Amino acid sequence: MAESGPGRFIRRMFNSFRKQNDRKEKPKVDLQNSKLANVAEDEGLGGSGLQEGFSKMTDREVEEHFEQLLEDMNLTEEKKHPLKQLSMERKISMLTIQENTIRKDKTDSAGDFIDHLKNIELKPEKKFEVVSSLRVALSNNPVSWVKDFGARSGLNALLNSLKICLDNNSERKCALECIRCLRAFSNNSYGIKQMINHDETLSILSRCIDPRDPACMLESVRLIAGLSLIPPNGHEKVLEGITVSSEDKMVPRFLPIIQGLSVEDPNLQSACMQLINALISQAEDIDFRIHVRSEFMRTGLTSILEELRKVDHEEVKMMLKCFEELEEYDEEDISHRIDCLRESLHFHEPKFCFDILWKLTESTDAESPFLSILQHLLLIKDDPVLRPQYFLLINECVIQIVLQKNGLDPDFRHTRRFDIDVEEILSRIVERGLQESSTVNKKVSSAKLDEIITAKQEAEAKATTLETKLKQFETENAELKAKIQYDIGAVIGASLSGSGGMLPPLPPPLPGSGAPPSPTLSGAGPPPPPPPPGMGFPPLPPPPPPSFGGGPPPPPMVAAPSVVAPKMKYTPGIQMKRINWNKVNVKDIQKGSFWAKASEESLASEDIFDGLKVNFAAKVIQKSEGQDRGKKPAKKGKELKVLDSKAAQNLSILLGSIKVPYEEIKRRILEVDEEKLDVAVVEQLIKYLPETEQMKQLASLKDDYENLSESEQFGCMMSGIKQLVPRLNSIVFKLKFEETIQEIKPDIVAATAALEEVKQSGKFARVLELILLMGNYMNAGSRNEQTVGFEFNFITQLLNTKTADNKRTFLHFLAQTIDSKFPDVATFAEELIHIDQASRVNEDNIHKTINQISKALKHLEVDIKIAKQNKSAPANDRFVPVMEEFLNVASGQCEVLEGMAKKMSSLYLEIAKYFAFDAKKYILEEFFTDIKMFIANFNQALRDNVKLRETEEKIKQAKKMQELRERQKEQQNAKRKVQLVDMSGDDDQQGVMDNLFEALKNGSAFAVNRKDGSRKRRQHSVGAERCAQLSRSRSRKIESENRNMEEECEKNHCNFDGIED
C-alpha cells in the first residue's frame, strides 16, 4: 500500500540519513549558538508539526508505520503484543518522538561532538544533552561515521568525560549515557578493536561497577562481559582492567561484582552472573578457571548462591545453570586428567607430594629456595593452636602467588600486584576459629573428664594409703596385745611358784630394748628362781631323721594341667606367606589371661580364609645360577679482697640483670616472698654464690663494707642469713613443687586410665583374636602353626607382610575384613582414648621424680629443724612458719602421688601377665607406643582401602569415558567450528556487540559440549541474514534508549531489556 505524506516523510528521513556516508565537516560553532543548545526548542516546534501530520493519517496508516517501528526495534512477538494494545494517541506520540530524535541527531558531525566533550566548561545539563545525542548518533549512523569519530580521538574524549562524571556524584546520570555511548561505539568490529586496544577503557569501565549506582553498574557489567568474549585477548584485558580498578579502590577485585548480586534487582543479578560466567569460561587453562572460580567463592559468592536460587527470574536461573554446568565440567575434566595420569590417587598424601617436589627441584636452581622454604616452615611456633593458623595463612599466600595466569602473574620487580590482603585472610581464620568452637567445647569436656578421672585416682590412692596405715596399726596393736598377754602370764607363773613376799620377775627384755627395772617391794628378798617348766616358750620340734643320700627327698612332680586348649590345625591347600611372629611360651600363660580366654576360632569363616588365600599366596621364584654368582657381600672496679675475678664477674652480671637493691633481695629471701622471688634468679644465685669459707671471710669485713666491690658487698650482705644455700634450695623446691606435680600427675592419670581401657576393651580383644586366627591359618605347616598367642609388639609389624601383588599388606586385609564383617569392631580406638597421651609417659622418670620429691621433703624437714635452733634469726625471718605449712601440704600430696604411681605400676604388671610378656623387657612406654602406632596404621589402612575402592571405580568410569570421548571426537572432527565473533574480517561488520549480548543472555556463550569433552560454545554466525537483521535494529536504538519511550512501555509492563540487548 502506498504511503501518505507524513509516512513518506519519515521514510525519506530514514533513507536519506542512512545514505549520508561522506558528510562535510561543519565549522566549529560556539555552544551558546549551536543547535544543540536549542535542541529542546527546536524539538518543540518540529514535534508539534509532526504530531499534527501523524494525526491526519488514517488509523490504518498509523498502524502500518507503528508496525514498521516495531520491526525496526527488532522485538519478539511476545514483546510486540503489549505495544500493539496501546491507544492510537500513544502510538502517534511514539512515532513523533522517534522522528524528532532522528532530526535532532542529524544536525551534528563527529567533530562537533568531540569539541563539546572536550569543553570542560560545559554545564552538566548541556553535557547530558550532548552525550545523549552522541549515543543516538553512534547507534544510527553508518560505520564510516563511527570510524570518523574514532579517528578524531573520540574514544579518548568519551572516556575522559566518563572519568569526570564518575568523580562528580552530580553527573552520575551523564555517566550512564557515556557508558551507553561506549556500548554503541563498540557495536561494530572497528569500535571493539579500538576499545580493546585502548589502555584505559576497561579500567575506567571497571570503576563503574559500583552497587551504589545500579543503573551504571548494569550497563558497565553487560559491556565488560561482552568485551571479555572478544578473541584473542579480551578476557585478559578485562581481568587486567578489573584488577587495576580494584587496586585503586583498595578492595578485592571481585568484591563489587559480588555486592551487585546482593542488590534486589534481577536484571543486575543476571548481568553480574553473566560476567562471572564469562570470566570463568573464557580461561582456556583449567587450573586458572578453577582459581578464578575459587576467588569468586572466597569473596562471598558461596553465601549468595543459595539466595540467588530463590530468585524467581528466568535469566537468573539460566545464568546459575550455566555456572553449575561449567563447574561440573571442570570437576570432571580435572578428575579425568588425574585418573589418566595415575591408576591410583596419592596427591592427598604429604609424603607423595614431597617426593614429587623433591624430584622436580633436586639438582636444579630451585633446590636451594625449596630447602629454604622447608627450613622456614620448621621455624613455625610449636603450638597446637597457632600452627594451623600459620599454615592457613601460608596456604592463602601460596594460592595467590601460584595460580596467577594470563599476564597477571605477580610482578616481583614492582610489588603493586603482589599485595596480599592479610587482614581479610586473618578475618577468615578468625571466623573459622569461631566455627570450631564446638570442637573446643568438646576438648573442654574432655578436660573435665580428665579432672574427674584424676580426682578418682587421687581418692583411690588416698584410700590405699589409709588402708596400708590401718593394716600397720592393726599389726602393731596385735603385737602389743601379745606382749601384754605374755607379761601377764609370766607374773601369774611366778606367783604360783611361791616366792614369798616378792613380786614375780618380769620376762627378759626384747632384744635392743635394754634391761627392765626390777619391781620389788620394800624389804623383799632376792629375786625368785626362773619359772617352772611349761611356762616358757614351747620347745622346737625335733629334726627330721636322716635320709639315704644325704638330703631330704624332693616333692613328687605333678604335671600341671594346661590353661590353654590346643589350637586348630589348618590346611590351606596351597603354600602361603608366613607371619613372622614370636610365640608366647605356654608356661607363661596364666589362668584368666587374655591368651587363655582368646576364642579366635569363633571368628573363623570361609570368606576370610578364601581372602587370605587370594591375597597371601606365596610366589615361588626360581633363581638362576648367574644371579647367585652375581651377589656380593658394604671498667675497672674496686680491688677484690676475697673473691676471684671470674666468680666476682659472674655474680656482678647476675646482680646487674636483677637490678634490685641488696637489702631487698635479703628481705625476699628471709620472708620467702614468693611473689617477688623468681625461680630462675634463685637458681642462678645458688650457682654463683661464694663458697662457705668465702662467705665467712666476707662476713668478717662488714666494717669495711664501703671499700668492697659490688659482688663482695652482696656476699657480705647475704652472709647474715644462716644456712643460705640450703634455704635457697628449699625455696626453689617450694616454687617448683606445684609445677612438678602438674607435670607427672596427668601422666600417671593417663597411663592408669589407658591400662584399664586396654584390659577392658572388648573390641580391641576381637582385633587381636582376628590377627591370631589369620596368622595361624597362614602359618599352617610351619613351625609357627597352632600358636596360642604372639608377642604383643607384633601388632606394629603387620605392614611387613605384603599381599601377592605387593600392593597391599596384611594390615590392609585385616582392616578390610573388620570393616566388612565386624564393622562394630572398627571403632575399637574409641575405647582407647587415653593411649595417645599415655604413649608419652616414662614410668622410670615418674618414679625418679617422686623419689626426688620425697628426698627433698626430708631435706626440708631437716632445714626447718636447724632453722628453729637459730636463736639469732632476724625478726622478719619467716622461713620456719612458711616452710612448715608447705611441708604438711606437700607431704600429703607426695603420699597421694606415691599411691597413684604404685597403682599404675601394679596395673602394668597385671597387663604383662594378661598378655604374657616380661614387663622389665617390654616397658610401659613401648607398650603404649606400639598400641598408638597400631591404631594409626589401622586407621590409615581403612582410608587406603576406601581410596582404593574409589580409585578402582574411577578407573572403570575413566575407561568408559575415554572410549566415549574418542568416539565423539572422531565425529566432532568432521564438523567445522565457528567462532562466536570473527575479528579477522573487515571493520564494517555491524551488530557485533548485540550478537555478544544475545549469546550472554541465552547462555550460549558458556555452553559446554560434553559429548566430545571439549569446551565448545554454541556460536552464531555473523552472516548476511544476521547483518540484515542488525541493520534494521539500528533504528530501534533510538526509541529503546529514549526515556520517554521507556515510560510509555513501563506503563504497560513492557520489558525493554531485550531491545537494548
Side-chain angles (χ1 to χ4, degrees):
M1 180 177 180
E3 296 179 315
S4 60
R8 288 193 298 272
F9 170 75
I10 295 175
R11 184 55 51 199
R12 285 198 303 271
M13 293 298 296
F14 272 87
N15 294 335
S16 63
F17 185 76
R18 299 184 189 284
K19 291 179 181 178
Q20 292 177 358
N21 295 325
D22 298 314
R23 294 167 55 184
K24 294 182 180 181
E25 183 178 355
K26 292 185 178 181
K28 296 181 180 180
V29 294
D30 185 66
L31 180 65
Q32 301 297 328
N33 298 322
S34 66
K35 294 181 180 180
L36 286 174
N38 302 312
V39 72
E41 180 179 353
D42 293 343
E43 185 174 347
L45 293 173
S48 60
L50 284 172
Q51 188 168 6
E52 184 178 352
F54 281 119
S55 301
K56 293 180 180 179
M57 296 183 183
T58 64
D59 292 348
R60 185 174 181 180
E61 291 175 338
V62 172
E63 290 289 348
E64 289 179 355
H65 288 295
F66 191 74
E67 183 67 29
Q68 185 63 41
L69 172 63
L70 297 180
E71 185 67 23
D72 291 340
M73 293 170 64
N74 195 27
L75 295 178
T76 62
E77 292 298 329
E78 182 181 358
K79 294 183 178 180
K80 287 180 181 180
H81 180 71
L83 294 175
K84 291 179 180 180
Q85 305 302 318
L86 296 175
S87 63
M88 191 60 65
E89 293 180 358
R90 289 189 177 181
K91 290 180 181 179
I92 293 174
S93 176
M94 291 174 66
L95 291 171
T96 304
I97 293 172
Q98 177 84 350
E99 186 62 28
N100 283 336
T101 305
I102 296 175
R103 281 190 170 189
K104 175 184 67 174
D105 180 65
K106 185 178 177 182
T107 59
D108 292 287
S109 66
D112 293 335
F113 283 114
I114 294 172
D115 291 338
H116 296 323
L117 291 175
K118 291 181 178 179
N119 187 357
I120 59 176
E121 297 180 357
L122 198 65
K123 294 182 180 181
E125 296 80 4
K126 297 300 180 182
K127 183 187 289 187
F128 176 75
E129 293 179 1
V130 171
V131 176
S132 299
S133 299
L134 174 61
R135 173 178 57 81
V136 176
L138 289 170
S139 302
N140 291 275
N141 284 320
V143 177
S144 59
W145 194 94
V146 178
K147 287 183 178 180
D148 184 36
F149 180 80
R152 297 171 181 270
S153 301
L155 180 59
N156 286 333
L158 189 56
L159 290 174
N160 289 332
S161 297
L162 178 57
K163 286 197 292 186
I164 295 173
C165 295
L166 291 176
D167 294 335
N168 190 350
N169 291 331
S170 62
E171 298 186 23
R172 304 297 292 187
K173 183 179 179 182
C174 185
L176 176 61
E177 289 299 318
C178 288
I179 299 171
R180 289 174 172 174
C181 287
L182 291 173
R183 173 174 171 174
F185 179 76
S186 62
N187 199 26
N188 54 78
S189 299
Y190 171 81
I192 286 180
K193 290 178 181 179
Q194 291 290 314
M195 292 186 67
I196 290 293
N197 295 329
H198 197 279
D199 294 334
E200 293 185 309
T201 300
L202 288 161
S203 61
I204 296 173
L205 274 176
S206 298
R207 288 182 57 190
C208 302
I209 304 178
D210 188 351
R212 293 173 296 182
D213 188 354
C216 286
M217 182 174 179
L218 176 63
E219 295 295 333
S220 60
V221 166
R222 286 177 173 173
L223 183 55
I224 292 172
L227 292 174
S228 68
L229 303 178
I230 303 300
N233 59 346
H235 181 256
E236 175 184 343
K237 290 284 188 178
V238 166
L239 276 178
E240 185 174 7
I242 293 175
T243 303
V244 172
S245 174
S246 65
E247 289 173 352
D248 294 337
K249 296 179 182 178
M250 300 180 67
V251 297
R253 60 176 177 172
F254 294 151
L255 181 60
I257 304 174
I258 300 301
Q259 291 175 340
L261 291 173
S262 302
V263 178
E264 295 182 359
D265 182 359
N267 294 324
L268 180 58
Q269 291 172 336
S270 174
C272 290
M273 285 303 301
Q274 288 177 11
L275 179 57
I276 292 173
N277 289 336
L279 292 177
I280 295 174
S281 64
Q282 292 304 303
E284 293 298 331
D285 186 0
I286 185 173
D287 295 330
F288 190 56
R289 290 202 303 273
I290 293 174
H291 166 61
V292 173
R293 184 183 293 108
S294 300
E295 187 173 350
F296 273 113
M297 291 298 190
R298 292 195 306 270
T299 309
L301 182 58
T302 305
S303 58
I304 296 179
L305 282 177
E306 291 299 326
E307 297 299 325
L308 288 178
R309 292 188 178 96
K310 301 176 183 178
V311 177
D312 188 13
H313 192 271
E314 291 301 324
E315 291 186 16
V316 175
K317 293 179 180 179
M318 173 67 73
M319 292 303 104
L320 288 176
K321 182 180 179 182
C322 293
F323 178 83
E324 293 169 354
E325 287 181 352
L326 288 168
E327 185 176 18
E328 291 174 1
Y329 172 80
D330 286 340
E331 291 177 356
E332 292 179 6
D333 198 359
I334 193 68
S335 176
H336 173 71
R337 186 175 70 177
I338 294 175
D339 288 342
C340 293
L341 180 65
R342 293 182 59 84
E343 291 184 357
S344 60
L345 301 177
H346 298 285
F347 290 101
H348 65 286
E349 297 180 2
K351 186 178 184 301
F352 177 79
C353 295
F354 175 80
D355 291 341
I356 292 180
L357 287 175
W358 177 245
K359 290 178 181 178
L360 292 174
T361 58
E362 187 177 10
S363 301
T364 65
D365 294 338
E367 180 178 353
S368 179
F370 179 64
L371 177 61
S372 176
I373 291 172
L374 296 178
Q375 291 171 343
H376 282 86
L377 290 178
L378 292 175
L379 297 178
I380 294 176
K381 189 174 182 181
D382 186 15
D383 186 284
V385 177
L386 292 180
R387 189 190 300 111
Q389 312 304 328
Y390 272 105
F391 279 103
L392 285 173
L393 179 60
I394 293 171
N395 179 55
E396 292 288 344
C397 296
V398 170
I399 289 175
Q400 296 190 34
I401 294 171
V402 173
L403 294 180
Q404 297 290 340
K405 301 290 182 182
N406 296 355
L408 295 179
D409 292 307
D411 189 353
F412 294 100
R413 297 168 300 173
H414 309 286
T415 58
R416 183 182 181 191
R417 294 273 177 84
F418 192 55
D419 290 334
I420 302 295
D421 190 356
V422 180
E423 293 296 332
E424 182 184 357
I425 297 173
L426 292 179
S427 65
R428 290 202 300 268
I429 292 175
V430 171
E431 291 177 0
R432 186 176 300 181
L434 295 176
Q435 293 174 357
E436 294 174 354
S437 60
S438 58
T439 305
V440 175
N441 293 334
K442 292 181 180 178
K443 292 182 179 179
V444 172
S445 301
S446 177
K448 291 182 178 180
L449 178 61
D450 290 340
E451 291 178 3
I452 295 172
I453 295 175
T454 302
K456 173 192 172 187
Q457 294 187 14
E458 287 179 356
E460 291 176 350
K462 290 179 181 179
T464 303
T465 303
L466 293 175
E467 185 178 352
T468 303
K469 290 183 178 181
L470 180 60
K471 291 181 180 179
Q472 183 180 354
F473 292 152
E474 289 176 352
T475 303
E476 293 176 355
N477 189 23
E479 292 176 355
L480 184 60
K481 287 182 179 180
K483 183 178 178 181
I484 292 173
Q485 291 177 359
Y486 175 78
D487 293 343
I488 294 174
V491 172
I492 294 174
S495 301
L496 294 176
S497 63
S499 58
M502 294 185 298
L503 291 174
L506 293 173
L510 295 174
S513 62
S518 55
T520 58
L521 298 175
S522 60
M535 297 300 297
F537 293 101
L540 295 174
S547 62
F548 300 99
M557 297 296 295
V558 180
S562 175
V563 297
V564 183
K567 297 298 180 180
M568 181 179 294
K569 185 173 182 178
Y570 299 101
T571 54
I574 60 173
Q575 185 177 355
M576 303 189 68
K577 290 190 174 186
R578 304 304 185 187
I579 294 294
N580 295 320
W581 58 28
N582 293 326
K583 285 185 172 183
V584 173
N585 195 331
V586 180
K587 297 180 180 179
D588 296 336
I589 299 177
Q590 300 181 6
K591 188 175 182 180
S593 66
F594 173 78
W595 301 120
K597 298 187 298 182
S599 58
E600 77 284 356
E601 295 171 359
S602 62
L603 305 176
S605 69
E606 289 300 326
D607 292 342
I608 297 177
F609 294 153
D610 292 341
L612 290 172
K613 290 179 183 179
V614 172
N615 287 277
F616 299 98
K619 292 182 179 179
V620 181
I621 302 176
Q622 297 180 355
K623 299 182 180 179
S624 63
E625 296 181 0
Q627 290 177 339
D628 294 337
R629 292 173 186 170
K631 292 185 178 179
K632 294 183 179 181
K635 298 180 192 178
K636 186 178 179 181
K638 298 179 181 178
E639 183 180 355
L640 297 173
K641 298 183 179 181
V642 176
L643 303 178
D644 60 87
S645 59
K646 185 176 181 180
Q649 182 183 10
N650 292 334
L651 191 56
S652 297
I653 293 173
L654 174 62
L655 295 174
S657 64
I658 299 175
K659 297 180 182 179
V660 176
Y662 304 156
E663 189 66 33
E664 173 63 15
I665 296 176
K666 182 178 180 180
R667 182 199 67 78
R668 295 178 182 179
I669 296 173
L670 287 172
E671 296 181 4
V672 194
D673 190 348
E674 298 182 41
E675 295 182 358
K676 300 295 180 62
L677 287 173
D678 184 75
V679 175
V681 174
V682 178
E683 289 178 338
Q684 292 295 315
L685 275 178
I686 296 173
K687 182 177 180 180
Y688 294 119
L689 274 177
E691 301 293 336
T692 305
E693 293 299 327
Q694 292 176 335
M695 292 291 287
K696 291 180 180 179
Q697 295 178 22
L698 291 173
S700 63
L701 298 176
K702 289 183 178 180
D703 297 336
D704 198 18
Y705 182 83
E706 297 298 331
N707 296 326
L708 298 177
S709 64
E710 292 183 357
S711 55
E712 290 181 334
Q713 286 179 353
F714 177 76
C716 182
M717 179 70 69
M718 295 298 107
S719 63
I721 303 177
K722 301 298 181 182
Q723 295 289 317
L724 177 59
V725 174
R727 179 186 292 243
L728 291 177
N729 284 326
S730 298
I731 291 175
V732 170
F733 172 65
K734 183 179 188 303
L735 294 176
K736 297 175 67 175
F737 179 78
E738 195 62 34
E739 179 183 354
T740 305
I741 293 296
Q742 294 304 321
E743 285 180 356
I744 63 173
K745 183 183 288 185
D747 290 347
I748 298 174
V749 172
T752 304
L755 289 169
E756 293 175 347
E757 290 168 358
V758 170
K759 191 172 182 179
Q760 297 172 3
S761 175
K763 296 180 180 179
F764 184 58
R766 296 290 292 277
V767 173
L768 296 178
E769 290 175 351
L770 272 173
I771 296 173
L772 181 63
L773 170 69
M774 295 179 181
N776 275 333
Y777 186 84
M778 293 172 62
N779 286 338
S782 70
R783 60 182 178 83
N784 284 332
E785 68 175 351
Q786 294 181 288
T787 297
V788 297
F790 51 82
E791 290 188 357
F792 195 84
N793 61 357
F794 175 71
I795 61 177
T796 62
Q797 303 171 21
L798 303 182
L799 292 171
N800 297 340
T801 304
K802 301 287 186 179
T803 55
D805 55 4
N806 286 329
K807 291 184 178 179
R808 296 196 304 160
T809 66
F810 179 79
L811 182 60
H812 287 85
F813 182 79
L814 174 68
Q816 176 184 340
T817 303
I818 292 176
D819 190 30
S820 59
K821 293 187 172 299
F822 312 100
D824 58 317
V825 179
T827 58
F828 70 92
E830 296 178 359
E831 297 181 351
L832 308 174
I833 59 176
H834 287 91
I835 289 295
D836 182 58
Q837 186 178 354
S839 63
R840 298 186 290 270
V841 175
N842 189 310
E843 186 180 10
D844 292 339
N845 287 344
I846 289 176
H847 289 297
K848 183 178 179 181
T849 303
I850 293 176
N851 291 335
Q852 290 176 349
I853 293 174
S854 180
K855 185 177 180 181
L857 289 174
K858 293 179 181 178
H859 285 303
L860 177 60
E861 188 175 0
V862 173
D863 293 340
I864 293 174
K865 289 181 181 179
I866 295 174
K868 285 182 177 180
Q869 297 174 1
N870 184 14
K871 305 301 182 182
S872 61
N876 62 338
D877 188 353
R878 301 194 67 255
F879 179 79
V880 173
V882 172
M883 288 302 175
E884 279 186 338
E885 180 181 357
F886 167 68
L887 180 63
N888 293 332
V889 176
S891 298
Q893 293 188 15
C894 184
E895 287 182 0
V896 172
L897 276 181
E898 288 176 345
M900 295 172 65
K902 288 179 181 178
K903 181 181 179 182
M904 177 189 70
S905 299
S906 63
L907 277 176
Y908 185 60
L909 292 176
E910 293 178 7
I911 286 289
K913 292 180 181 179
Y914 188 66
F915 289 108
F917 61 80
D918 190 346
K920 295 180 180 179
K921 296 180 180 179
Y922 192 44
I923 61 176
L924 179 71
E925 186 177 4
E926 294 178 356
F927 174 75
F928 285 133
T929 301
D930 288 346
I931 297 179
K932 177 185 176 182
M933 184 183 301
F934 173 72
I935 293 174
N937 292 340
F938 181 84
N939 291 333
Q940 183 60 44
L942 286 176
R943 291 192 292 270
D944 292 343
N945 290 337
V946 173
K947 188 196 317 177
L948 181 61
R949 290 195 297 269
E950 293 176 352
T951 303
E952 291 175 350
E953 183 63 27
K954 287 181 179 180
I955 292 174
K956 294 179 182 178
Q957 295 296 329
K959 289 181 180 179
K960 294 180 181 179
M961 291 296 297
Q962 183 66 20
E963 294 173 357
L964 179 61
R965 291 185 181 190
E966 290 177 356
R967 290 196 302 267
Q968 295 296 334
K969 272 188 177 180
E970 294 176 358
Q971 300 174 4
Q972 189 65 24
N973 288 336
K975 298 181 180 179
R976 178 177 174 269
K977 296 183 178 180
V978 182
Q979 286 187 345
L980 188 64
V981 178
D982 185 10
M983 299 301 295
S984 61
D986 55 40
D987 293 342
D988 293 335
Q989 186 179 174
Q990 301 182 44
V992 177
M993 190 56 65
D994 287 336
N995 185 26
L996 296 176
F997 287 164
E998 187 67 25
L1000 288 169
K1001 183 177 179 181
N1002 59 32
S1004 61
F1006 325 118
V1008 176
N1009 189 340
R1010 298 183 180 275
K1011 293 183 179 180
D1012 62 348
S1014 63
R1015 303 183 67 255
K1016 176 178 175 297
R1017 283 92 176 165
R1018 302 170 193 162
Q1019 298 157 346
H1020 294 271
S1021 173
V1022 189
E1025 181 181 354
R1026 180 60 178 165
C1027 290
Q1029 179 186 7
L1030 292 175
S1031 64
R1032 295 193 305 268
S1033 69
R1034 288 179 297 176
S1035 60
R1036 69 175 170 79
K1037 293 287 185 178
I1038 305 168
E1039 294 294 332
S1040 64
E1041 302 288 347
N1042 190 284
R1043 297 189 180 280
N1044 295 330
M1045 179 67 75
E1046 291 175 358
E1047 293 177 359
E1048 288 288 339
C1049 294
E1050 286 174 0
K1051 292 178 181 179
N1052 293 273
H1053 307 287
C1054 298
N1055 187 355
F1056 267 76
D1057 292 339
I1059 302 176
E1060 295 180 5
D1061 289 341

